[in-house]
Amino acid sequence: MSSPIINDDQWLQLLEYVAETYSDVTLSRGFTYFKQQRVASLIISDTRVVQAKVEEGESGNYRVTLNLDKPRSSQCSCPVPASCKHMAAVWMELGDRLGYPASQIMNAKMHLKRITSTTSLESTLLQLPKMDVSGWQKFLNHYTSLIKSTYDLGNYVDMLRKQLQNITKITIPFSDKDQIFFDMHQELFILRKLKEQNVQGGVSSYTSFTLYRVYDEIHTWLKQKSPLLNFSVAGVRLEQTLSYIRQQMAEESGHYYQDYGVYTALWKHWVAPDPEASHYVTKEIEALETMTVDSPSPSLSAVKAFLYLQQSRSKDAWEALEENGIFKEAPAKLFIPFFDYLYDTQNWEELVNWLRRSASFFNRKRTKELDVYADLWTKAIVQLPQAEEHMWTVLEELLPYSFRIIEEMLYEQRKWKPWLEMQIIQGHDPLYHRVNVLQPIEKETPKLLLPYYHQAIDHYVSLKNRHDYKLAVRLLKRLDKVYKKMKQTERWEHFFSGFVERHSRLRALQEELRKGKLLG
């Protein structure tokens, strides 16, 4: 035949007929007959009428007549007046022979619902470019509504991402600009869903890890995509996005500051490069000043302060931070965007001012924020050497958390004397370090190493066991090199002869000295 007996549209019409007239029980029984191959014969006439025979075992056979053009006029010779299991089995056999899955007949209602859902989804997806970003967020919420949170929030994020990846299977007529913004709002959506889980289930360390991982991924993404964005055509979407994040911050309580961090990162990578950045500053401050009256959120206050700083209103910025009653409990990470902005604009005096004023917020267990804080101090004093005294004062105030930082700074700045004093305070000795650590000191001021070596040697000898004697000998051999660096061989010989005489009764030590070729 030149044309198919049933085309796709006719098949869908048949499914609609079956869904309306056959019960689920009848279809299930018909499917059983189909699987048992009880449809013994099936003939299709030129008039599109199907004649079939269905075997019923001891009850004999039943004859089924199906009319493809008028399915409601179809008949069966069994006692059931219409829509029986025998007719259902023949419909399935017919579909199978014509290349359509029999399971679609058995699950006609579900299959039609799925088709309708897919069609509706495609229609909605095609409307996305016309929606604003709040419409995108509503769509994403509906699209992932069947994804339920689990205790493993990392797995929950993976399931959300997998569901969202299905969107890419349909071509959406996004412009390049809108595609970037839509992709970003998918990331913001995932962050929002995680925050919702925090509110519902409480925050655990595991939850926080997932939350901060997603937060860091957004930061990285914003930085990577920035060069691809044409700011001259991004205005409306950018304003919508800033408004969306502001609303998220207004709903945020406590000191999480995830949305604040996203906002400041968005500003740094997407807004600041825009020639019209000052225009956005003014508009955003106006919006924030209105919002903070109605929603005194810590995040909103922090963002307002951050934008005041863009206008060189440092005093107003600090006051904006303090206007929130729980400012003193704010985490150190709150200040990093302020520091970054002042560093990027090379406003060194103001950077030092903010580093000094915020010092108490970093007086906590060493974190990456404290490392960033200390690094900014070192960069600032390169430009403002007169601020170095303030830096050391602040770092001393942050002890004990700043201990390692001070130690590293002293070494980097080749301040060997205080660095060695810190080693002695910690109970370290020259063997604690790799040889190359002490090499710069041996080269520049070897004299400073003498107390460090002598104290360690006396300590190991006082322990009076062979293992520590061996360590003492190792140190003596290195001390010999130090004296040679100082060109004071006679002083070494005088010390060493006195050392040997003092410990002449320690036979094990004398043996180790000989093994080390320090004694003949």
Side-chain angles (χ1 to χ4, degrees), residues 34-54:
F34 163 73
K35 296 294 286 184
Q36 292 174 347
Q37 299 182 348
R38 293 200 183 196
V39 181
S41 65
L42 188 149
I43 300 171
I44 306 172
S45 71
D46 292 340
T47 58
R48 295 172 54 78
V49 173
V50 177
Q51 298 289 342
K53 182 174 70 175
V54 179

Side-chain angles (χ1 to χ4, degrees), residues 355-360 362-364 373 377 389-402 406:
L355 289 170
R356 291 179 66 185
R357 294 189 72 174
S358 62
S360 61
F362 292 84
N363 194 14
R364 298 162 193 178
Y373 177 79
W377 262 115
E389 184 179 345
H390 296 306
M391 180 189 74
W392 291 117
T393 300
V394 166
L395 291 177
E396 287 173 12
E397 291 172 356
L398 296 180
L399 286 169
Y401 306 118
S402 60
I406 293 174

